[in-house]
Amino acid sequence: MSEVETLLARHDYAIVDRTIIGAEDWHDALPLQDIVPRDLENDVGRAPKLLPLEEGAPHMDRLAENLEAAREGREEYLFSCLLSAPDTPPNKMMIHLRDHIVFDPPYKGLLRFYDGRVFPHLLRMLREPTLRALFGPVSLWTFRLLDNWYSVPPPDTDSMRRYWVLHEKELERVNWIYQINQVLAKWQRQHKRPWKDLDEYHALSEQIEQALLKAQNEARSQDAGEQNAFALREIEAHCLPGLAGHR
């Protein structure tokens, strides 16, 4: 069994984000199911898709081919995350994911947890009860960071938010994700190398978040571009241990 076949075999579901991958003819044969909360009922095209991964299913070989081709730059990655939930049937998994895309008032909004550019930040930003609620029946959540796949289990806690709502502080942090990703992308273009590992990615993301907060709190600028530039200068001036050697 190849590396990508092993990766697929360890999981029961994949999520396809239609906002970042174009439709192709071979997708039509896949048993994709729309994950549509009420907030997206009038815009189903933006809704993510749930894809069951069944051993022996005719599309499994094509999924493995896609993973290989995408790693070599010949195709787009079809999905950005994989979920292991062996005792959860598709209808229950669908309900869980649908109910957690939207978080409730007083801070209502959409949470793109299925996006590989968002989920790793949630591991840092959400409190354990909130993160445990997001995992729900998922025993292993695997996401892609560039061409590497990282698997994480749910938090080891019995505490779970009974109602799916983000705490005010959590929401404040989540709202920084877009800018953090902009600074991360600029840093990576300057240094011309992939992330050493997930720990480095988290450490640098945390440092960028703190620099953005500093730029905002010290009233240096309310302009996102200027805040990003300040954050980039901050992390370059106060380089994380272990990063200097990679300049």
Side-chain angles (χ1 to χ4, degrees), residues 80-241:
S80 55
C81 71
L82 297 156
L83 310 176
S84 178
D87 300 320
T88 307
N91 63 322
K92 289 189 176 181
M93 178 56 69
M94 174 69 74
I95 292 170
H96 172 74
L97 295 173
R98 182 197 66 200
D99 290 349
H100 287 75
I101 289 177
V102 177
F103 49 89
D104 288 336
Y107 310 109
K108 193 173 183 65
L110 297 176
L111 187 66
R112 291 175 52 82
F113 57 77
Y114 46 88
D115 189 332
R117 299 165 299 184
V118 173
F119 183 77
H121 295 298
L122 301 181
L123 297 174
R124 293 187 305 106
M125 295 175 171
L126 300 187
R127 298 186 299 177
E128 283 195 349
T130 310
L131 192 58
R132 183 67 188 84
L134 177 59
F135 269 76
V138 176
S139 58
L140 195 69
W141 196 304
T142 299
F143 60 94
R144 180 173 57 83
L145 199 57
L146 299 180
D147 288 320
N148 294 315
W149 294 90
Y150 295 93
S151 298
V152 293
D156 185 16
T157 176
D158 293 329
S159 178
M160 183 188 301
R161 278 192 176 277
R162 187 172 179 181
Y163 301 104
W164 178 236
V165 13
L166 295 191
H167 185 274
E168 182 178 4
K169 183 63 177 179
E170 292 171 318
L171 181 63
E172 288 175 0
R173 299 191 70 186
V174 166
N175 283 337
W176 284 111
I177 289 178
Y178 181 72
Q179 281 185 245
I180 292 171
N181 282 338
Q182 288 181 316
V183 180
L184 284 169
K186 289 181 180 179
W187 187 92
Q188 195 170 51
R189 286 195 295 270
Q190 289 182 7
H191 290 259
K192 296 182 175 63
R193 70 168 180 85
W195 311 113
K196 185 171 62 177
D197 51 32
L198 187 57
D199 287 341
E200 179 187 81
Y201 181 86
H202 281 321
L204 191 57
S205 299
E206 181 70 28
Q207 191 172 4
I208 291 169
E209 183 180 350
Q210 293 306 312
L212 289 170
L213 281 169
K214 182 178 179 181
Q216 182 187 68
N217 294 338
E218 295 184 4
R220 295 172 184 272
S221 175
Q222 295 303 310
D223 178 77
E226 292 180 9
Q227 291 174 353
N228 292 354
F230 172 79
L232 191 59
R233 291 194 300 271
E234 280 283 291
I235 61 174
E236 292 291 358
H238 306 93
C239 196
L240 288 163

